[in-house]
Structure formats: structure tokens, C-alpha cells
Amino acid sequence: MKRQTLIKAEEVFFRVIMFLSSMIIAATLFLIIFSIFYKGLPSLSWDMVSQTPKGGFYFGKEGGILNAIVGSIYLAGGSTLLSLAIGLPLALFLNINIVSKKRLVNAIRFFLDLLWGIPSIVYGAFGFTLMIYLGLKTSLLAGIITVTLFILPIMVRAMDEVIKTIPIGLLEASYSLGSTKSETAYRIFFRQTIPGIVTAILLSFGRAIGDAASVLFTTGYTDHMPTSLTQPTATLPLAIFFQLSVPIREVQNRAYASAAILVFIILIISILSRIFARKFQKNQIK
Amino acid sequence: MQQDTKIEVKNLNLYIGKQHILKDINVSIPSNKITVIMGPSGCGKTTLLKSLNRLTDLYPEMKVTGMILIDGEDVFHPIEDITMIRQKMGLLSQRPYPLPMNIQKNVAYGLRISGRKRRKGIDKRVERYLQMVGLWDEVKDRLKDPASTLSIGQQQRLCLARGLAVDPQIILADEPTSALDPLSSQIIEQKFVELKEHYTIVVVTHILRQAKRIADNIVFMYLGEVIEQGPADEVLNNPQEEKTKAYLKGGLY
Ligand SMILES: Nc1ncnc2c1ncn2[C@@H]1O[C@H](COP(=O)(O)OP(=O)(O)O)[C@@H](O)[C@H]1O
Ligand SMILES: [Mg+2]
């Protein structure tokens, strides 16, 4: 009887904790989105998303942040694609080609986790050093390279985590059909983990498009539309930063409008990729 | 009586760390017969089967010595690529692992991998293999459905069809019915009996009755050793070794 009350109490205790933490997360998310939209929506106009900054934009005059929107999409899109091109083969390689070398694999995982933990400002500084070394100017390309370095460990480890859950039976099935390692990787493991891979891509894209510190020294900033990889480009995080630092209410509200746009882009990308992932989810072997 | 030997295992030893898992195994597996490897759980049946197509490569902790000859070619030192050797053998595992794609593509993967996926007539050939395993009528209207939506029994037959599509000469099966319901198990057993005309079949089982139903040839293992082997009626009806006798009476685990 006593034990039973104890078990009950324990259950209630953990339920309360679970409920509280869910509430904290939900409330935080709600507050962030609410404050962004509350302050930003009134300033959000068609001009904001369809025009580049005109003279005096940062003092509350005409214009928009199309340059930053496009710049950010180029930057995040470019670095996500580049990371995918490097990261997917790497994650598959870890789990197929060298999976039996457990120590090596663990060392690589540890190393990637370490890189994951480094703050993006350090990548920014490193990217800047690299730029000087390579003789690059602040540009979209320099930004893409830096952001790729920054999101690559995130993407690889996120993919790795899903790929490593594949049961060894599927690997055996694939090999016993006579598949090579790359057929196993790209025709079977890849398909099996597409939903997880999409999540990894999304996570990386979110980090890439939202990070200010890594692009601070590397992409530069301009009011013009980005037209080539070697030109500097504006980005949304920096656009928000600059507008927020101006002591004019009107401009600060536009910063929130810009943040709303950023959130909106991430939302659209999330929804699209979910739809895409669902198409493949049904094929997954449990 | 001399018969065609398809697989010859010679002095095979397998270690995992200090553990001696397979102890000096010598086995001959005849062509176009069903050879049943039987023995209590943990005696090394699965490990022996995986050695045949070198799935042991996946487990770096396993150290293997000895020879396994398939048509005279040593799988540990093959002239061809190991993937070509593996294509000579289809594998059915204890629980089916269909590929993460639709039913038709599962079979087509088998065709493709063996380089026989000419676009033309692929549907026909997929149908033929599904017919061979008695699955066609059940799935012909849902070929585009994910393989994962089939029942476990159907999945196991799909895996058999996929394996046959690679055009192997040998079928390896590791307790292929242990996850299946009685009816599906019966279908699998019956398919093996039909298929042995064209294939060499090796079935691992710990179910004595299954061995009695389908075996032409029996290899009895105990604690990593082959205790006795030979034609089924000899081993089952007139065992020579004490351990075999005890096992057949149900007194050895
Ligand atoms: N990967 C492995 N690591 C450690 N021990 C293993 C491994 N695979 C098999 N074994 C051991 O080898 C022995 C034989 O296993 P197995 O071939 O699966 O037996 P069976 O299929 O006859 O039940 C068992 O004692 C098992 O614990
Ligand atoms: Mg077994």
C-alpha cells in the first residue's frame, strides 16, 4: 500500500515537471513569435519585401530589405547545398565504409561534436583569416564558405544520428544481394533516412540563415542586390542588427518586420520539406 | 554415393575475441538439395551461414581461418569481386528486411543489381518472380505500395522474390520462418521444396519437425562443432553420435 502511494506520487511529480517544461517551451516560442509579429507586422509592407534600401532608409525613409532577403537566401541556400554535398557522403561513409572501425568513427563523432560547440563568431573570425589568406574580399562566396564550415558539423552529426539507427539486418540484406558499398549508401540507406536527412538539412539551413556572427566579417554589407559570388551582400540578421541599432522607433520596428520575414522564410522551408519528407516516410522500414 | 558438391567448407574456424565460435568446421553441401543446419540456439548456425557469403566482413571482431569453396572458388580469396560471389547466394534472414521502397522496386532492385534491368519487359520479370514465391495474386493491385505495408509473412516472400531476381544459384535461409505465422511458414517451406530443382538450398533451423519435413541432407551442430552430417534419413533415423541421438530425443539443449 505504501509503495503504491509512492509510485503514484512519483508519477504525479514527473507529470508536473513534464507539463511545466512543455509550457515553458511553448510559452517562449509563443512570446518570441508574438513580440516579433506584434512589433513588426505594422511596419511590414509590400515595399519592405520588394525594394532595396533607398537613400535615408536607415533614417526611416523609403525602401525595403529585398537585398538582404535575397542575400540571405543565396547565402543559406548556397552553404546548405555545399554542406549537403560534403556532409551526406561523409555521414554515409562513417556509417557504411568505416563503421567497423569503431574507434575511428567515435573519434570523428567526438571531433564533429566539438566543432558543433564552437560559437559562430569564432567561425566568423576564422573565415576572415581564411579570406585574407586566399586573397578574397568580403563577398557572398566568403560568406558561403564560412557558413558552410559552421553548419557542416551540425549537418553531418544530425544525419549521422539517423543513419546509425538503421538496423544491421538491412545492411546485411543489402550486401547479400550483392550491393556495393555505394549502392548500399545511396540506394538504400539514403532512402531509408530521407526524413531524417531532411530534418538535418532544415536544421542547418535555419542556423545558416539566422546567424549574424559568422557573416559579420565575411559577407560585408551593401544596399545593392547581390549579383555575383564575388560581390558583398546584405543578409537578414545583419539587416536586423543595423536597423535595431538605429535610435529611431520607425526603423527599429522595421527590424522586427525583418525578423518576421526571417521567421516566415524558415516556416515556409520547414513546411515544404515536411511535405517532401512525408512522401518518403511511408517507405521506411521499421 | 557421390554427389555434386556446391559448397565445401574446409577447416573453418571463427573466433570472436578469445571465444572460439566455430570449431574446425568441415561441411559439404550438395547441389540441388535442401541442406538443413540444425542444432540448439547459440551453437553457431547463424555465424556459419553468414560465413558462407562473407557477411562476417561486417563484424570486425570476427576472425576467420580456413576455406569456403563455392564451385571450387574460395570466398575468402576470390578471383571475382566479393559482391559477385554474394550474388550467387540469396539470403533470407530471421526477420525480413525489405528495402525502403515500393513492392515492385524491391524485386526490380534484385534485377538491377545483377545487371539485368533492361527497361523492356521489367514488369514481366518482376511478375515472374512474384509468381514464383506465390505473392503475385496478393500484391498485383498494390505494386506501388511500400513494402513495409505487407504482412511479415508476405515481406519474407518478397525478400525471397528479390533474392531470386538476382539470379543466384544458392539460397541461404536463417530460421526463415521463425517470425512467421504457421500458414506463411508452410508456404515458405513448400517454396523451398519447389525451388530445389534449380537451386542449392541451405536452411538453418532449430525446429526439429521443420528439418524432418524438408531436409534432404542434415548438418547437426552443437557448441560450435559439427557433430554429424549426411543424408537426412540416415542422420534422423540412424544417428551415429550420442549427441545427435540426445538432440533428436529432445534431451539436448
Ligand atoms: N557479433 C557477435 N559478438 C559476440 N558474440 C557473438 C556475435 N555473434 C554471435 N556471437 C556468439 O556466437 C555464438 C553463436 O551464435 P549464433 O551463430 O548466432 O548461434 P545460432 O544461430 O546457432 O543460435 C553465440 O554464443 C553468440 O553469443
Ligand atoms: Mg541464429
Side-chain angles (χ1 to χ4, degrees):
Chain A
M1 198 60 196
K2 191 136 176 284
R3 193 178 134 71
Q4 228 160 43
T5 14
L6 216 70
I7 292 175
K8 262 266 167 58
E10 188 182 297
E11 200 179 304
V12 170
F13 176 73
F14 281 108
R15 267 209 204 165
V16 169
I17 290 205
M18 232 151 73
F19 178 75
L20 285 180
S21 30
S22 319
M23 285 316 287
I24 291 173
I25 292 172
T28 315
L29 184 67
F30 177 78
L31 275 176
I32 291 175
I33 294 188
F34 177 79
S35 62
I36 288 172
F37 281 86
Y38 180 75
K39 293 194 183 166
L41 279 188
S43 310
L44 195 57
S45 60
W46 182 242
D47 277 3
M48 272 295 276
V49 295
S50 64
Q51 303 215 354
T52 53
K54 299 287 176 293
F57 175 73
Y58 296 98
F59 301 104
K61 297 242 174 66
E62 311 245 295
I65 52 158
L66 181 64
N67 57 329
I69 296 175
V70 173
S72 262
I73 290 177
Y74 283 172
L75 181 80
S79 51
T80 304
L81 284 180
L82 192 56
S83 300
L84 182 64
I86 305 169
L88 181 64
L90 185 56
L92 288 166
F93 186 81
L94 276 181
N95 285 286
I96 292 173
N97 298 62
I98 58 171
V99 66
S100 57
K101 301 188 175 64
K102 297 224 165 58
R103 276 218 192 130
L104 177 61
V105 173
N106 282 334
I108 293 174
R109 282 184 180 141
F110 174 74
F111 185 63
L112 288 169
D113 287 346
L114 218 61
L115 288 176
W116 183 327
I118 294 176
S120 59
I121 186 79
V122 177
Y123 283 96
F126 177 68
F128 186 65
T129 321
L130 199 66
M131 263 165 53
I132 292 173
Y133 181 73
L134 294 175
L136 281 172
K137 291 208 187 63
T138 52
S139 60
L140 180 57
L141 180 64
I144 287 179
I145 292 173
T146 309
V147 173
T148 300
L149 292 175
F150 163 54
I151 64 174
L152 188 59
I154 300 173
M155 191 185 281
V156 174
R157 281 295 279 130
M159 289 178 179
D160 176 43
E161 282 299 313
V162 280
I163 296 174
K164 81 179 186 194
T165 63
I166 293 182
I168 186 132
L170 192 59
L171 187 62
E172 291 186 350
S174 172
Y175 279 161
S176 63
L177 288 167
S179 316
T180 59
K181 285 183 170 143
S182 48
E183 283 163 337
T184 304
Y186 293 98
R187 297 192 178 271
I188 297 173
F189 274 38
F190 174 61
R191 292 182 79 104
Q192 169 77 359
T193 47
I194 285 176
I197 287 172
V198 169
T199 307
I201 293 172
L202 210 81
L203 186 69
S204 315
F205 183 86
R207 295 295 288 269
I209 203 168
D211 192 67
S214 57
V215 291
L216 193 55
F217 312 122
T218 50
T219 56
Y221 199 88
T222 152
D223 285 347
H224 301 294
M225 292 284 284
T227 47
S228 94
L229 279 171
T230 53
Q231 293 296 312
T233 178
T235 55
L236 278 169
L238 290 186
I240 296 170
F241 176 70
F242 290 143
Q243 293 175 102
L244 212 50
S245 351
V246 176
I248 302 173
R249 174 51 54 86
E250 170 70 21
V251 179
Q252 288 184 353
N253 283 345
R254 280 191 197 154
Y256 284 97
S258 313
I261 294 169
L262 184 55
V263 171
F264 196 63
I265 292 174
I266 293 177
L267 203 68
I268 290 180
I269 300 274
S270 305
I271 293 171
L272 286 182
S273 44
R274 285 284 145 216
I275 293 171
F276 176 76
R278 185 155 308 149
K279 230 171 79 71
F280 288 89
Q281 195 134 31
K282 57 186 184 0
N283 278 320
Q284 259 182 325
I285 303 302
K286 294 279 149 41
Chain B
M1 187 181 73
Q2 192 61 43
Q3 39 191 333
D4 276 359
T5 300
K6 187 75 184 172
I7 306 174
E8 181 95 53
V9 180
K10 285 187 175 168
N11 306 106
L12 184 74
N13 283 282
L14 189 145
Y15 303 83
I16 298 178
K18 291 221 164 61
Q19 277 190 80
H20 200 173
I21 305 289
L22 296 178
K23 300 171 187 160
D24 202 31
I25 306 282
N26 285 282
V27 167
S28 307
I29 293 171
S31 299
N32 299 89
K33 295 242 155 42
I34 298 179
T35 297
V36 167
I37 301 176
M38 73 181 189
S41 253
C43 69
K45 306 181 296 292
T46 298
T47 310
L48 175 58
L49 202 71
K50 281 183 188 167
S51 307
L52 298 182
N53 68 349
R54 249 177 73 184
L55 284 183
T56 46
D57 288 7
L58 294 177
Y59 303 87
E61 64 271 24
M62 295 184 176
K63 294 278 165 293
V64 190
T65 64
M67 269 203 283
I68 294 176
L69 305 176
I70 308 246
D71 292 329
E73 182 176 11
D74 187 357
V75 301
F76 295 111
H77 305 97
I79 305 159
E80 313 157 87
D81 193 62
I82 180 63
T83 57
M84 302 306 290
I85 306 250
R86 287 191 181 129
Q87 290 190 0
K88 289 189 182 174
M89 292 172 263
L91 177 77
L92 277 189
S93 49
Q94 220 158 334
R95 77 143 272 207
Y97 281 99
L99 303 177
M101 45 190 87
N102 71 34
I103 296 170
Q104 174 170 41
K105 280 190 182 154
N106 259 271
V107 182
Y109 186 89
L111 293 168
R112 198 199 68 80
I113 203 95
S114 59
R116 297 180 307 131
K117 185 181 173 173
R118 282 163 286 113
R119 277 259 151 257
K120 221 169 115 240
I122 187 140
D123 292 353
K124 268 261 153 314
R125 275 174 295 154
V126 167
E127 177 181 341
R128 196 174 90 226
Y129 287 108
L130 287 171
Q131 293 273 17
M132 273 172 85
V133 300
L135 198 56
W136 176 251
D137 289 333
E138 290 159 60
V139 303
K140 63 172 186 257
D141 299 322
R142 48 185 290 204
L143 290 171
K144 301 284 186 230
D145 285 4
S148 55
T149 60
L150 295 171
S151 76
I152 298 289
Q154 290 172 323
Q155 287 184 17
Q156 190 65 298
R157 279 183 282 151
L158 180 67
C159 290
L160 181 57
R162 176 188 71 192
L164 293 174
V166 183
D167 201 21
Q169 301 155 18
I170 301 166
I171 297 169
L172 308 175
D174 186 4
E175 306 193 20
T177 63
S178 65
L180 309 191
D181 60 278
L183 185 64
S184 303
S185 305
Q186 204 189 331
I187 300 176
I188 292 275
E189 285 183 16
Q190 182 197 329
K191 288 298 155 196
F192 284 163
V193 174
E194 288 170 25
L195 289 169
K196 74 176 174 187
E197 190 187 337
H198 301 290
Y199 301 88
T200 300
I201 302 178
V202 184
V203 184
V204 163
T205 185
H206 67 270
I207 311 167
L208 188 53
R209 272 169 299 143
Q210 186 168 55
K212 286 181 177 161
R213 283 194 295 267
I214 61 174
D216 298 310
N217 197 49
I218 284 186
V219 177
F220 173 61
M221 288 182 71
Y222 187 68
L223 295 180
E225 285 179 88
V226 171
I227 304 293
E228 192 163 351
Q229 59 180 314
D233 46 323
E234 281 175 31
V235 176
L236 292 174
N237 301 324
N238 188 18
Q240 301 299 308
E241 300 289 328
E242 287 309 316
K243 282 181 181 137
T244 321
K245 287 177 194 166
Y247 183 75
L248 293 174
K249 283 207 195 88
L252 189 65
Y253 296 100

